[in-house]
Amino acid sequence: MSLPHALLGLLKYMPMTGYELKKFFDDSINYFWSAQISQIYRELKKLEENGYIKSARESGDKGPDKIRYSITDSGFSFLKDWLSNVPENIDEDNRNAFLLRIMLLSNLGAEEMHMQIQMRLEKYRKSLAELETVREKLSFYLEQTGNVDLLPFWKITLNRGFHDIKSHIEWAEESLAVLEIEIKKLKSKKK
Amino acid sequence: MSLPHALLGLLKYMPMTGYELKKFFDDSINYFWSAQISQIYRELKKLEENGYIKSARESGDKGPDKIRYSITDSGFSFLKDWLSNVPENIDEDNRNAFLLRIMLLSNLGAEEMHMQIQMRLEKYRKSLAELETVREKLSFYLEQTGNVDLLPFWKITLNRGFHDIKSHIEWAEESLAVLEIEIKKLKSKKK
DNA sequence: GAATTCATGTAACTTGTTACATGATTTA
DNA sequence: TAAATCATGTAACAAGTTACATGAATTC
């Protein structure tokens, strides 16, 4: 639903080709947004039809032609409109496959649930470490490219990631404790 | 993607009609999963074709006929298979429209961002209060229906919600502080 | 008597994914 | 020279939403 806005937002930084946009997704905002290359191309066409972006063909002496897109004034104001209108449903999409799984997991019993949450906990701890390196790279990158003014905004975005992972870790630890009590109860009943 | 599993999980509790399933979504797990009635009917047909559920027509003396679905053994083992296979991408969908918005919000400037996050903070605080009442209702409901054994599993699910909202509140408070510093900087520059 | 809820669906559309096609360039 | 990467797409499919249709029952 917000792919067009994501594309406009990225093109605001600099003009890019479809391929470059895909790369940008993959190695920067991949943590919270990704897209298929085929859909990017489809969407770019639509955005151009609407006059939100314009294209320029570049026939370099090497390789195939590139079509580089840049955002238009109309596109930027479209983006700003979207940003100004805060959605009522605060999460924009209340679907959470993770919570659905957790709820249904009771069908497998306390021990299986414990095992799965334990596995998640380990992954969360790894993610936390990875985010730490992303943070370091980001500061460095923004300083190098002279975009230091963007730093506080990016930090706010990144910080959300930290809070999210930390809350998962705390939840997992608490849940494991609850499940351990349940497992003990079941075992004492058997006797 | 997991609508069929959600339906199977709910039918595991008790046999229901399409309409009842929609209501169950709306007033119980709506916090993390919802579905359109049209899609529920479509999916129920598919599930029956696959033998995962079976239907029984009930022609009461009042109102139109009801088609009540119940889960089959084959359906339950299908559900258990899905639950046993933990997806590699732990979140199942890394797309986070909220983070995308936050990142792009820098296009509107620090003051607008501050205002929007302030609004969110207030909503989060309300959500926290609402979740509190959901928790109370749930305990009561499970005790009344004699499903006390499910209580720890439901608590784990609910608890995830609490951690989530709390992490949003903390993040919002920190972000507002950062933005206030930015706004002060900008104002002192003007002078 | 009108509006809402109950209960079932169909049709058209939008969004997103997977698989495939093409051809040049670079790297192992 | 084979594989990977660059750069563009098309086609078919899967999943989800919106709008519409039908008719009985209940509530205002």
Side-chain angles (χ1 to χ4, degrees), chain B residues 79-123:
Chain B
L79 175 63
K80 282 194 287 190
D81 279 356
W82 180 72
L83 288 171
S84 306
N85 290 315
V86 186
E88 274 149 64
N89 46 334
I90 207 163
D91 285 314
E92 217 137 326
D93 183 7
N94 66 338
R95 220 160 270 184
N96 190 326
F98 168 65
L99 273 181
L100 179 68
R101 239 174 210 284
I102 294 301
M103 187 202 86
L104 296 176
L105 221 46
S106 59
N107 284 303
L108 297 183
E111 286 189 47
E112 173 74 16
M113 201 168 177
H114 187 278
M115 209 195 69
Q116 286 204 19
I117 292 180
Q118 181 69 52
M119 278 170 58
R120 281 179 187 272
L121 179 56
E122 281 154 28
K123 284 195 184 170

Side-chain angles (χ1 to χ4, degrees), chain A residues 17-19 38 41-42 45 66-67 95:
Chain A
T17 69
Y19 197 86
S38 57
Y41 283 120
R42 204 207 276 161
K45 260 188 191 166
K66 290 180 184 184
I67 301 172
R95 218 159 271 185

Side-chain angles (χ1 to χ4, degrees), chain A residues 94-158:
Chain A
N94 66 340
R95 218 159 271 185
N96 189 326
F98 168 66
L99 272 181
L100 179 67
R101 239 173 210 284
I102 294 301
M103 188 203 84
L104 295 176
L105 219 47
S106 59
N107 283 304
L108 296 183
E111 286 188 48
E112 173 75 16
M113 200 166 177
H114 187 279
M115 207 194 70
Q116 286 203 19
I117 292 180
Q118 181 68 53
M119 276 170 58
R120 282 180 187 273
L121 179 54
E122 281 153 28
K123 283 195 186 173
Y124 292 141
R125 287 185 176 141
K126 271 185 199 162
S127 302
L128 191 62
E130 280 166 28
L131 245 198
E132 209 72 60
T133 66
V134 172
R135 168 151 61 183
E136 282 159 27
K137 273 185 199 165
L138 182 78
S139 301
F140 184 76
Y141 175 76
L142 290 178
E143 273 170 40
Q144 289 281 308
T145 55
N147 284 307
V148 196
D149 49 319
L150 284 176
L151 201 59
F153 301 107
W154 273 97
K155 269 193 180 167
I156 285 174
T157 308
L158 248 186

